Amino acid sequence: MNKLKKIRIFPERFGFFPYVFLFYLVLPGFSLLQETGIKMGIGYALLIVFSITYRQLYFCMQKNSYTYWLATELVIILIFGLFYDPNYLFMGFFPAHFIGWYSDKRKFNIALIGFIIVEVLPIFLSGVLTDLSRYLYFVPFIIVMLISPYGVRSMNKRMELEKQLDQANEQIKELVKREERVRIARDLHDTLGHTLSLITLKSQLVGKLTTINPDRAQLEAKEIEQTSRAALKQVRELVSQMRAIRVAEELTEVQEIFQAAGIAYHFQGDSELQDVPLLTQNMISMCLKEAATNVVKHSQARNCFITISLTLENIKIMIKDDGIGLANRYTGGNGIKGMEERLALIDGTITLTNVNGAVLEMVVPLVQKKEKEGAAI
């Protein structure tokens, strides 16, 4: 059974403010009691239509119908001012408020000119030139009504700027986070590159000295142990500075990116990778982000297929799109180089092929070479 939707008189985001203005519609209602016959009936009909326009204007902001509803309000006020009583012109506070919501300067100016005509014309036709003192009390209210659209427009501009500033700050925070992750990944490579090369050379030396000079081999082995412990400490210090992105989290962001770009997202495999180390997942995640960005920017694809297969020995990630193929999309750029550098830290490899579109495949061993070499020794 479908639940009945709750009827909203005004949008919730405006709070209690729209209801306060409804009180000012009671005064014209009482004034119409002084009329008789068909004039009273038409007056109340116009007041009901005016109430409807007041509600609709809150719901159709930033839409084409907004101008039509506002114009209806102005016409009703003009009719009341010309054929009933000039005091009905105080209803102008309603459209004055809504005119300020125009972000387009041209529409704002046109609406303001129309508002001035509606407010001033009935007063002049009622004999303001012959009896000025009779309408002096209108002057301060008309001034307030003419100023209020500027105030509302200024307030809306400030709110929009604050919203844009908040969005920009969020983007900056995200960019800082990503840049920091990339920096730490490069620090891992730069800091440990020399250390790991040294361990490799010493390991080769130990292999040669085992039969020739066992004592020297033992000494070199101890130095390898000390060097590896120092390298492990460096890794822990660097990794502790960052929060690793899990593959499942990155795939959610990739899906949002493809959705925004109008590319259909197809996934197959295990995205959780629960037994895979966080450092490995982080490197894969950054490569996934780079690959997805490349598909969006250059592939002209309609579909993108991501497959993750997990075995006891490695993880295979395939990103395939049905776009224009490689076409120098990856080659020669920083994208593939960055992915190769990141995967090199975890002994991963990357390949690119053309099969009815571009196919990027990453293979990351679950047991890195260092561990295999240690087990062999």
Side-chain angles (χ1 to χ4, degrees):
M1 181 177 179
N2 295 329
K3 295 182 178 179
L4 293 175
K5 292 184 178 179
K6 184 180 178 181
I7 298 175
R8 294 178 300 165
I9 299 177
F10 296 104
E12 294 181 0
R13 64 190 180 100
F14 291 104
F16 190 70
F17 177 78
Y19 298 93
V20 175
F21 262 69
L22 285 175
F23 171 77
Y24 295 101
L25 291 178
V26 176
L27 300 178
F30 276 114
S31 298
L32 286 172
L33 290 174
Q34 300 175 6
E35 307 294 340
T36 58
I38 191 170
K39 192 173 182 181
M40 177 190 286
I42 293 173
Y44 277 112
L46 290 173
L47 191 60
I48 292 172
V49 174
F50 188 91
S51 303
I52 295 172
T53 63
Y54 175 65
R55 177 183 181 273
Q56 291 301 112
L57 282 167
Y58 278 106
F59 282 98
C60 65
M61 289 179 176
Q62 310 302 326
K63 296 181 180 179
N64 293 331
S65 59
Y66 185 82
T67 298
Y68 300 115
W69 288 111
L70 182 60
T72 303
E73 272 199 358
L74 292 174
V75 170
I76 292 173
I77 294 173
L78 183 62
I79 293 172
F80 275 132
L82 290 174
F83 302 104
Y84 285 81
D85 190 284
N87 286 304
Y88 285 97
L89 295 177
F90 286 111
M91 294 171 66
F93 280 104
F94 288 88
H97 167 76
F98 289 112
I99 289 172
W101 284 89
Y102 275 117
S103 57
D104 185 275
K105 188 175 182 180
R106 180 175 175 273
K107 290 182 179 180
F108 174 82
N109 290 333
I110 292 174
L112 188 61
I113 292 171
F115 175 72
I116 293 172
I117 294 172
V118 167
E119 290 294 318
V120 174
L121 183 61
I123 296 176
F124 272 91
L125 294 179
S126 298
V128 67
L129 296 178
T130 57
D131 191 3
L132 182 61
S133 60
R134 180 184 171 189
Y135 297 98
L136 283 177
Y137 71 97
F138 270 102
V139 174
F141 293 102
I142 290 178
I143 292 174
V144 172
M145 281 190 279
L146 292 177
I147 292 175
S148 61
Y150 291 97
V152 173
R153 191 164 189 257
S154 176
M155 179 188 68
N156 289 336
K157 277 187 175 181
R158 187 188 67 185
M159 292 172 61
E160 183 64 26
L161 288 173
E162 289 177 353
K163 182 180 178 181
Q164 292 177 359
L165 182 61
D166 290 339
Q167 292 175 347
N169 286 334
E170 289 299 320
Q171 290 177 354
I172 290 172
K173 288 179 182 178
E174 185 63 26
L175 289 172
V176 169
K177 288 179 183 178
R178 293 191 177 276
E179 183 63 28
E180 184 66 11
R181 289 165 184 153
V182 173
R183 182 192 67 79
I184 293 174
R186 292 188 181 277
D187 286 348
L188 281 169
H189 183 271
D190 296 339
T191 303
L192 298 179
H194 174 73
T195 305
L196 296 177
S197 298
L198 180 62
I199 290 175
T200 301
L201 292 173
K202 283 185 173 291
S203 299
Q204 293 173 349
L205 180 59
V206 168
K208 295 177 181 179
L209 293 174
T210 301
T211 54
I212 301 174
N213 191 343
D215 294 335
R216 173 76 184 279
Q218 290 182 359
L219 182 62
E220 293 292 342
K222 288 182 179 180
E223 289 186 6
I224 290 175
E225 182 182 357
Q226 293 174 354
T227 304
S228 63
R229 289 183 182 277
L232 181 60
K233 183 180 178 182
Q234 290 175 333
V235 171
R236 287 172 177 170
E237 288 175 351
L238 288 169
V239 174
S240 64
Q241 299 176 22
M242 65 183 289
R243 174 187 173 274
I245 309 175
R246 293 183 180 274
V247 171
E249 297 172 355
E250 189 60 48
L251 285 173
T252 301
E253 294 188 15
V254 166
Q255 184 177 5
E256 293 176 355
I257 291 172
F258 284 153
Q259 185 177 0
I263 298 174
Y265 169 81
H266 308 274
F267 175 77
Q268 185 178 1
D270 178 19
S271 63
E272 294 300 325
L273 303 178
Q274 294 180 355
D275 297 328
V276 178
L278 288 178
L279 180 61
T280 301
Q281 291 207 40
N282 187 67
M283 296 301 173
I284 294 173
S285 296
M286 288 191 287
C287 292
L288 279 170
K289 174 67 74 176
E290 181 65 33
T293 302
N294 196 286
V295 170
V296 170
K297 287 184 176 179
H298 307 294
S299 71
Q300 301 178 23
R302 294 184 178 180
N303 296 274
C304 186
F305 304 83
I306 297 179
T307 304
I308 297 179
S309 55
L310 181 65
T311 66
L312 294 175
E313 296 182 353
N314 55 46
I315 308 168
K316 291 183 179 180
I317 303 100
M318 186 184 73
I319 301 101
K320 181 184 183 305
D321 62 72
D322 59 356
I324 60 175
L326 294 181
N328 296 322
R329 282 164 47 194
Y330 291 97
T331 55
N334 293 325
I336 185 65
K337 184 178 180 182
M339 285 188 277
E340 286 176 341
E341 290 177 353
R342 294 183 187 108
L343 291 176
L345 297 174
I346 51 177
D347 295 333
T349 59
I350 187 170
T351 56
L352 287 166
T353 54
N354 261 325
V355 182
N356 297 323
V359 180
L360 185 149
E361 188 174 16
M362 295 180 283
V363 179
V364 179
L366 292 177
V367 180
Q368 270 83 51
K369 294 178 182 178
K370 298 186 290 297
E371 297 176 14
K372 289 181 180 178
E373 292 171 355
I377 293 174

